[in-house]
């Protein structure tokens, strides 16, 4: 059958172990990427290039003439490696029969190698271990093979040895894909069952849905129904993606590709939905995705001069391929109408913020991110809040609970002391410590989510010279002594800067926030007092000195073009500011104040 020559696979790995580089080599090998200068084509979003990480999963179809003389259609999907984006990985895996599990020969198995491995195992996929970077002198191939046997329970003899950088061993990867990953097994004669695993909005085509056809077939003109949203459409185009969209006459069972159907109303379109024929529907939809629960919440507000409706539209379009993003309308005293949005982590928030800027040309203000808190009121009722401004009056509160996570940290022994200290500083509780082998240890610790969302990952990396890796999962809500910290700028409480803090760290946090704000808010023509307060008690203060007028005059000088340029630059910068009580607060201020020195 036609399915015999199809292979659907994904590449999974710990961050920086070489997925993108391997993807490029595979694309080259199948003739999709000829120019070496256009490296890392799969990281096509501008934001990804800047962060150097893969955020969105991409699907690419190529053709490969195998040693057995047959030509195979290879559909492969790039997956992100950052701990914030595990949900994207499981999404991609649902469209595959097998995965390449890339392991850096110099680093061995890391926390996300394990978590990705388990995701693939859950989906019953064939797993091909690939040891990468064997060109490096510090490669420890035998050590990694041992870990593959011990930690993953896979046969180390099956591991492929490659260098994605030099291209060494890429041919063995292609052959392994063809020989070890099974062909898809859909029933072409059954009614259509296709899983929507990704989508994006194109201004000409409308929604472009990335689909995996499990049963039946889909072609132009078909009347289709999205089973979960119960929406009907007529298919306009189907095809596969080769960097660009390549239209085909039909997508049959087993294939991965895209469909368009002039879907313009994006609000009722969902990733994870099943597409079927309207007139001859399949019996059951495919198992969709686990609803992803956001962990971190922040207000997003249009910056000066931007439109609320534009922001609403942009968020809906972003949600098309970012199912984890949630948003609801939110009214802030300081910032006006905006949205309270849910994110998987701080990196996710920053990426959304950057995508709004780069892809939609929208400047926005992000308020202080917060986790969710569970509040028990005096009358016994329970409410969840996602921002300090929603905290009810102290007199009405019986108990506040904060989310805890269970984290797994893998690191070389020599950094153990530093990392245990970091865990303790972040109110963590060490639960277990396992010596994995002679020089690596795994720490299992319970940590308050609020203490890790901001800069824990960065700190972990810098305290271990890049060697520690971590992963976490939600554990439970626990009673905690949390209080609200208010920030006053120029004598006014700024609701968007209020935050929930632990009692023991309130003073330190208050001081650190006003000190940071002092650096972040530019000087004005008047003096700006900055204060941190708990209730009516001021616990820290700083002052931003007034800008002297003559300094301004001198810096502009007499050169009129230079002056105009400066003014234009100032206007540009202004886009990312909000004026609160006469004071211009730059966008970065709201997130930067949370980072600790
Ligand atoms: P994310 O997309 O961020 O998850 O990273 P990734 O896993 O895709 O890693 P990427 O391909 O970006 O590679 C990370 C770094 O390792 C880059 O600097 C690559 O140039 C380098 N690298 C990848 N493969 C090899 C290899 O075989 N040998 C050597 N020496 N370096 C490699």
């Amino acid at each position: 059958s036609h399915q015999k020559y199809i292979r659907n696979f994904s590449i999974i790995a710990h961050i920086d172990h070489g997925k993108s580089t391997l993807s490029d080599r595979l694309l080259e090998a199948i003739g999709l990427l000829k120019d070496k200068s256009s490296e890392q084509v799969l990281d096509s979003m501008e934001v990804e290039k800047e962060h150097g990480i893969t955020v969105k999963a991409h699907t690419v179809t190529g053709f490969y003439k195998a040693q057995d003389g047959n030509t195979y259609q290879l559909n492969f999907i790039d997956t992100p490696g950052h701990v914030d984006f595990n949900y994207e990985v499981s999404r991609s895996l649902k469209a595959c029969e097998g995965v390449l599990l890339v392991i850096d020969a110099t680093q061995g198995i890391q926390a996300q190698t394990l978590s990705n491995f388990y995701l693939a195992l859950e989906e019953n996929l064939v797993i091909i271990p690939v040891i990468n970077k064997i060109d490096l002198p510090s490669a420890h191939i035998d050590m990694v093979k041992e870990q593959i046997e011990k930690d993953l329970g896979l046969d180390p003899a099956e591991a492929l040895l490659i260098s994605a950088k030099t291209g060494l061993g890429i041919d063995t990867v292609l052959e392994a894909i063809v020989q070890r990953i099974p062909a898809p097994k859909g029933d072409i004669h059954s009614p259509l069952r296709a899983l929507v695993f990704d989508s994006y909005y194109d201004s000409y085509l409308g929604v472009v849905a990335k689909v995996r056809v499990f049963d039946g077939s889909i072609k132009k003109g078909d009347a289709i129904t999205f089973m979960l949203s119960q929406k009907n459409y007529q298919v306009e185009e189907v095809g596969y993606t080769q960097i660009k969209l390549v239209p085909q006459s039909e997508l049959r069972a087993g294939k991965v590709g895209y469909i368009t159907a002039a879907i313009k109303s994006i609000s009722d379109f969902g990733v994870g939905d099943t597409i079927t024929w309207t007139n001859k529907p399949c019996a059951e939809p495919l198992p969709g995705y686990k609803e992803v629960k956001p962990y971190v919440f922040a207000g997003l507000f249009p910056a000066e001069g931007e439109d609320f409706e534009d922001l609403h539209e942009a968020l809906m379009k972003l949600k098309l391929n970012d199912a984890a993003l949630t948003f609801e309308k939110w009214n802030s005293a300081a910032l006006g109408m905006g949205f309270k949005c849910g994110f998987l982590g701080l990196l996710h928030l920053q990426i959304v913020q950057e995508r709004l800027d780069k892809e939609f040309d929208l400047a926005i203000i992000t308020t202080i991110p917060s986790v969710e808190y569970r509040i028990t009121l005096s009358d016994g009722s329970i409410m969840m809040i996602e921002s300090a401004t929603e905290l009810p009056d102290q007199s009405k509160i019986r108990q506040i609970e904060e989310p805890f996570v269970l984290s797994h940290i893998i690191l070389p022994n020599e950094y153990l002391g530093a990392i245990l200290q970091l865990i303790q500083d972040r109110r963590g509780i060490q639960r277990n410590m396992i010596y994995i082998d002679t020089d690596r240890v795994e720490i299992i610790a319970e940590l308050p989510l609020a203490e890790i969302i901001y800069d824990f990952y960065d700190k972990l990396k810098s305290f271990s010279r890049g060697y520690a890796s971590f992963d976490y999962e939600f554990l439970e809500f626990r009673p905690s002594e949390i209080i609200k910290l208010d920030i006053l700028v120029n004598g006014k409480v700024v609701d968007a800067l209020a935050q929930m803090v632990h009692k023991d760290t309130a003073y330190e946090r208050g001081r650190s926030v006003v000190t940071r704000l002092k650096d972040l808010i530019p000087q004005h023509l008047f003096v700006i007092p900055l204060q941190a307060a708990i209730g009516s008690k001021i616990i820290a203060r700083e002052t931003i000195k007034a800008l002297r007028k003559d300094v301004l005059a001198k810096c502009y000088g007499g050169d009129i073009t230079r002056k105009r340029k400066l003014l234009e630059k100032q206007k540009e910068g202004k886009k990312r500011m909000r004026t609160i009580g006469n004071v211009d607060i730059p966008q970065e201020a709201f997130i930067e104040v949370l980072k600790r020195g």
Side-chain angles (χ1 to χ4, degrees):
S1 90
H2 74 286
Q3 295 185 80
K4 204 169 144 195
Y5 302 113
I6 299 174
R7 296 292 181 272
N8 299 314
F9 71 99
S10 227
I11 307 178
I12 53 177
H14 186 75
I15 192 160
D16 278 344
H17 281 197
K19 270 184 330 261
S20 302
T21 313
L22 175 59
S23 305
D24 287 353
R25 291 300 92 82
L26 290 176
L27 290 183
E28 261 170 33
I30 56 182
L32 286 181
L33 179 63
K34 295 204 180 70
D35 181 6
K36 282 217 174 193
S37 66
S38 61
E39 293 231 315
Q40 304 223 333
V41 284
L42 289 183
D43 286 353
S44 60
M45 291 196 315
E46 262 187 85
V47 177
E48 292 183 359
K49 289 215 185 87
E50 229 157 72
H51 285 275
I53 57 160
T54 314
V55 178
K56 281 295 309 150
H58 302 260
T59 314
V60 188
T61 299
F63 295 89
Y64 168 64
K65 189 153 198 269
Q67 281 164 15
D68 64 10
N70 297 308
T71 299
Y72 291 81
Q73 175 178 357
L74 305 185
N75 296 309
F76 75 91
I77 295 161
D78 200 24
T79 56
H82 193 275
V83 54
D84 273 9
F85 299 100
N86 257 345
Y87 78 105
E88 291 261 12
V89 177
S90 18
R91 254 164 71 170
S92 315
L93 296 188
K94 290 229 188 283
C96 301
E97 272 77 34
V99 293
L100 304 173
L101 178 63
V102 178
I103 305 162
D104 185 327
T106 68
Q107 303 233 318
I109 288 176
Q110 297 292 328
Q112 290 147 51
T113 315
L114 283 173
S115 59
N116 283 323
F117 167 75
Y118 287 122
L119 293 176
L121 216 55
E122 251 170 58
E123 301 293 332
N124 288 316
L125 303 182
V126 167
I127 298 166
I128 302 173
V130 177
I131 303 177
N132 187 32
K133 307 198 190 182
I134 60 163
D135 59 297
L136 291 174
S138 49
H140 296 293
I141 297 171
D142 289 337
M143 176 198 83
V144 179
K145 279 191 168 176
E146 235 172 76
Q147 293 172 0
I148 287 176
E149 180 159 32
K150 252 183 70 192
D151 300 353
L152 311 180
L154 298 176
D155 181 358
E158 287 186 353
L160 306 175
L161 303 181
I162 70 157
S163 165
K165 192 169 180 180
T166 66
L168 180 74
I170 297 303
D171 48 338
T172 65
V173 177
L174 288 159
E175 281 301 312
I177 291 168
V178 164
Q179 287 164 23
R180 297 194 211 164
I181 297 176
K185 288 200 256 324
D187 182 357
I188 177 88
H189 303 295
S190 295
L192 172 66
R193 277 214 304 176
L195 178 71
V196 182
F197 65 89
D198 196 8
S199 61
Y200 64 90
Y201 192 83
D202 180 284
S203 41
Y204 294 105
L205 303 169
V207 173
V208 179
K210 301 285 179 77
V211 298
R212 159 71 196 265
V213 181
F214 281 89
D215 292 313
S217 63
I218 185 166
K219 60 180 187 306
K220 183 177 172 169
D222 281 356
I224 54 163
T225 300
F226 289 82
M227 295 182 82
L228 300 183
S229 53
Q230 283 298 314
K231 299 284 168 194
N232 297 323
Y233 286 97
Q234 190 173 19
V235 177
E236 292 210 323
E237 185 176 304
V238 304
Y240 52 72
T241 318
Q242 280 193 332
I243 317 297
K244 288 201 303 262
L245 301 179
V246 183
Q248 298 288 302
S249 58
E250 192 180 33
L251 288 177
R252 307 170 83 185
K255 295 220 172 180
V256 172
Y258 72 92
I259 70 146
T260 69
I263 305 169
K264 299 282 180 182
S265 99
I266 44 188
S267 53
D268 48 39
F269 180 87
V271 162
D273 208 338
T274 297
I275 302 176
T276 191
W277 290 322
T278 309
N279 302 326
K280 193 179 158 195
C282 61
E284 284 278 313
L286 291 154
Y289 301 113
K290 260 192 292 185
E291 184 89 12
V292 268
K293 230 183 106 41
Y295 283 132
V296 178
F297 298 83
L300 261 53
F301 293 86
E304 219 77 69
E306 297 284 0
D307 191 62
F308 170 80
E309 280 309 324
D310 289 347
L311 177 57
H312 190 193
E313 177 87 13
L315 284 172
M316 284 199 293
K317 286 180 180 168
L318 277 187
K319 193 171 164 59
L320 275 182
N321 59 16
D322 190 347
L325 173 69
T326 65
F327 55 90
E328 61 185 72
K329 284 194 182 136
W330 195 22
N331 207 344
S332 151
L335 300 171
M337 278 303 282
F339 294 92
K340 182 166 73 186
C341 301
F343 306 92
L344 296 163
L346 207 62
L347 179 65
H348 187 204
L349 187 164
Q350 281 171 329
I351 281 164
V352 167
Q353 185 176 337
E354 280 172 48
R355 288 187 70 186
L356 286 169
D357 183 2
K358 299 228 162 76
E359 294 169 34
F360 297 91
D361 198 24
L362 271 176
I364 52 155
I365 294 291
T366 314
T367 67
I368 292 230
S370 168
V371 299
E372 197 174 31
Y373 293 90
R374 185 157 72 186
I375 316 287
T376 310
L377 299 171
S378 330
D379 65 4
S381 63
I382 295 205
M383 67 183 285
M384 307 298 289
I385 64 162
E386 289 125 7
S387 142
T389 56
E390 296 168 324
L391 191 71
D393 194 68
Q394 200 63 38
S395 64
K396 295 193 185 116
I397 300 173
R398 185 186 297 168
Q399 174 177 271
I400 301 182
E401 289 168 289
E402 68 173 327
F404 267 70
V405 298
L406 188 64
S407 66
H408 300 259
I409 303 168
I410 296 180
L411 68 157
N413 290 345
E414 52 186 309
Y415 306 110
L416 188 57
I419 301 300
L420 287 177
Q421 184 62 49
L422 175 68
I423 292 172
Q424 195 184 333
D425 290 348
R426 296 299 167 94
R427 298 190 285 124
I429 303 155
Q430 184 192 319
R431 209 155 89 172
N432 203 353
M433 198 151 78
I434 303 160
Y435 285 87
I436 304 179
D437 47 40
T438 47
D439 46 34
R440 284 185 323 150
V441 59
E442 176 176 1
I443 306 169
I444 298 169
E446 299 167 359
L447 279 153
L449 179 62
E451 297 286 338
I452 64 169
I453 53 170
Y454 308 121
D455 59 353
F456 186 77
Y457 192 66
D458 297 342
K459 284 281 184 295
L460 193 69
K461 285 281 171 196
S462 71
F463 286 176
S464 66
R465 302 187 48 205
Y467 284 111
S469 65
F470 107 121
D471 203 6
Y472 61 85
E473 69 215 62
F474 175 77
L475 194 60
E476 62 185 3
F477 279 93
R478 282 190 192 164
S480 197
E481 295 191 77
I482 300 289
I483 51 180
K484 182 179 168 196
L485 179 70
D486 279 319
I487 302 297
L488 290 80
V489 176
N490 206 13
K492 266 190 82 162
V493 174
V494 180
D495 62 352
L497 283 171
Q499 50 190 296
M500 305 283 276
V501 295
H502 190 266
K503 183 175 90 13
D504 294 346
T505 58
Y507 278 82
E508 180 219 316
R509 181 68 70 88
R511 237 188 334 272
S512 131
V513 170
V514 290
T515 322
R516 279 196 163 255
L517 277 181
K518 189 181 172 190
D519 293 336
L520 289 163
I521 298 178
Q523 282 184 301
H524 285 56
L525 292 171
F526 47 90
V527 174
I528 306 169
L530 302 168
Q531 295 158 305
I534 293 167
S536 56
K537 190 168 155 213
I538 303 293
I539 58 165
R541 81 174 75 227
E542 280 287 346
T543 308
I544 301 175
K545 287 203 198 111
L547 194 62
R548 298 218 322 270
K549 280 210 178 78
D550 55 335
V551 178
L552 254 182
K554 211 176 274 163
C555 113
Y556 286 142
D559 184 344
I560 188 76
T561 54
R562 185 153 172 268
K563 181 169 176 178
R564 195 163 56 226
K565 263 191 200 143
L566 273 167
L567 284 175
E568 264 164 28
K569 219 168 148 190
Q570 203 179 29
K571 224 167 89 192
E572 235 338 89
K574 225 191 172 98
K575 266 185 84 180
R576 281 145 193 53
M577 301 252 198
R578 278 303 285 258
T579 315
I580 295 170
N582 276 343
V583 178
D584 292 335
I585 303 184
Q587 171 179 280
E588 318 82 80
F590 295 91
I591 294 183
E592 286 296 319
V593 293
L594 287 170
K595 301 211 172 137
R596 305 192 200 164

